[in-house]
Amino acid sequence: MEQHPITKVIRAQTERTQEMEHSSPLFLTSSFCFDNSEDMRAAFADETEDNIYSRFSNPNVKEFVERVCILEGAEAGYATASGMSAVFASFMALMKQGDHLLSCSSIFGSTHTVITKFLPRYGIDHSYVPANKPGEWERAIKPNTKMIYIETPTNPGLDIIDLEWIAALAKKYNLILNVDNCFATPVSQKPIDFGADLVVHSATKWIDGQGRVLGGVIVGKKELIKDIYLFCRSTGPALSPFHAWILSKSLETLDVRMERHAANALKIAEALKNHPKISSLRYPFLSSHPQYEIAKKQMRDGGGIVCLN
């Protein structure tokens, strides 16, 4: 019988020490020791996967990343100190001066700031396309376009982008498809199943779910993650082992938490959709949502956010 993804997550645990801990131990250390100089040389030469320095890798961080990879169906990943450091690293590790980024216009405010204020300083151009106007995407692609970046559902307007369609477009032009899956989470939506190359998360949000820590994670194709890892190990946006330990434990309950969040959000949306003091209301799993059919195709549920005014 195929194991439930959360069962796989729970069983993907940091190796126990000689104490045989039931729960993963904390590895609150900056660096790691070697029995001899040859073992250390091999580790620094990337001939082994031994831990060297917690800015590079750490057992608690490895466990968290492995668990997210299981949920997203990804080959590899890297965890960062915040969601925005994950977004920024996914841009800077894979784009260079002269490249062009194509993004949906409905994105998180800090991501907008990075794209419009900081990427131009490094010679990286951008174009925005409305998430709900698929006919404009292909026309916006330039000869120097390197990456398509999207959120779906978007923050905060809850537009839905057809992942299968946008992945086919990215593949047609040999572009990297980078998807912010924060609002849906990997238990509600798996962009890689539809053709995404990278998935980023602010683990601070639903993955933690209790407002305790900051964290981010990038998962996806191994060859892309390798470049992101090399960028991050030198620039330093590493996730702390303690925060990784908390986030890793949070993943064990993500499925049941998101199930309740989505159920409650749908009830609220249905109760308020005809309220006389509300001019507009959006929830992906309401039939009135303009991309309802797309949401039903690629999401398990509508997530935990309702947008209204």
Side-chain angles (χ1 to χ4, degrees):
M1 185 190 306
E2 179 68 19
Q3 290 182 349
H4 191 281
I6 295 297
T7 301
K8 293 180 181 179
V9 162
I10 293 169
R11 293 185 177 182
Q13 182 176 327
T14 298
E15 289 187 13
R16 295 176 175 87
T17 70
Q18 66 271 19
E19 301 299 329
M20 294 299 290
E21 303 91 352
H22 174 73
S23 183
S24 297
L26 280 162
F27 291 87
L28 302 181
T29 181
S30 62
S31 53
F32 299 84
C33 298
F34 295 87
D35 290 334
N36 54 66
S37 58
E38 174 56 27
D39 288 348
M40 187 174 184
R41 182 209 63 78
F44 272 88
D46 290 330
E47 295 173 6
T48 70
E49 294 185 1
D50 293 336
N51 296 297
I52 301 169
Y53 191 57
S54 283
R55 174 158 51 86
F56 300 176
S57 65
N58 174 281
N60 296 122
V61 179
K62 282 183 177 179
E63 179 184 284
F64 170 59
V65 170
E66 181 182 357
R67 288 179 165 190
V68 176
C69 285
I70 289 170
L71 289 176
E72 288 284 7
E75 296 174 355
Y78 185 84
T80 61
S82 70
M84 281 312 305
S85 58
V87 171
F88 184 70
S90 74
F91 293 160
M92 295 305 297
L94 300 173
M95 292 190 292
K96 65 184 186 305
Q97 184 178 7
D99 285 342
H100 173 253
L101 172 70
L102 182 60
S103 171
C104 60
S105 56
S106 302
I107 52 174
F108 181 53
S110 293
T111 305
H112 168 72
T113 299
V114 167
I115 290 173
T116 59
K117 184 176 181 179
F118 296 110
L119 291 189
R121 296 183 183 182
Y122 300 94
I124 300 171
D125 192 16
H126 73 277
S127 297
Y128 280 143
V129 177
N132 58 0
K133 294 185 178 180
E136 297 186 15
W137 283 88
E138 190 163 10
R139 290 195 294 270
I141 294 174
K142 300 180 178 181
N144 61 332
T145 303
K146 182 67 177 291
M147 177 184 290
I148 294 176
Y149 176 81
I150 66 168
E151 296 177 7
T152 183
T154 60
N155 180 357
L158 299 180
D159 284 312
I160 306 295
I161 297 173
D162 189 326
L163 286 167
E164 187 175 20
W165 175 84
I166 200 76
L169 181 65
K171 185 176 181 180
K172 178 180 177 180
Y173 290 93
N174 195 29
L175 306 178
I176 299 167
L177 177 57
N178 186 357
V179 180
D180 183 331
N181 198 30
C182 180
F183 263 26
T185 83
V187 299
S188 299
Q189 177 176 267
K190 301 180 189 297
I192 290 173
D193 286 353
F194 295 91
D197 300 300
L198 290 175
V199 174
V200 296
H201 284 279
S202 171
T204 312
K205 310 302 190 300
W206 294 123
I207 287 178
D208 173 34
Q210 296 168 72
R212 298 167 297 180
V213 300
L214 301 178
V217 64
I218 316 160
V219 300
K221 290 184 175 179
K222 192 173 183 178
E223 64 269 21
L224 298 177
I225 295 298
K226 182 178 180 181
D227 288 339
I228 291 168
Y229 163 72
L230 293 172
F231 173 82
C232 289
R233 68 179 272 173
S234 295
T235 55
L239 180 63
S240 80
F242 181 61
H243 288 187
W245 182 82
I246 290 175
L247 292 169
S248 186
K249 302 301 287 184
S250 295
L251 288 174
E252 297 179 7
T253 61
L254 181 63
D255 189 46
V256 293
R257 287 189 287 110
M258 290 310 301
E259 187 176 319
R260 179 62 64 87
H261 281 307
N264 287 346
L266 180 58
K267 289 178 181 178
I268 291 171
E270 289 176 335
L272 295 179
K273 63 183 179 182
N274 295 318
H275 195 285
K277 292 188 176 181
I278 294 176
S279 58
S280 67
L281 182 146
R282 274 191 173 190
Y283 182 70
F285 269 35
L286 277 185
S287 59
S288 57
H289 191 288
Q291 294 98 36
Y292 170 74
E293 293 298 334
I294 298 173
K296 294 285 285 188
K297 179 182 74 170
Q298 64 194 33
M299 299 175 70
R300 182 189 75 172
D301 51 54
I305 303 293
V306 179
C307 179
L308 55 89
N309 60 41

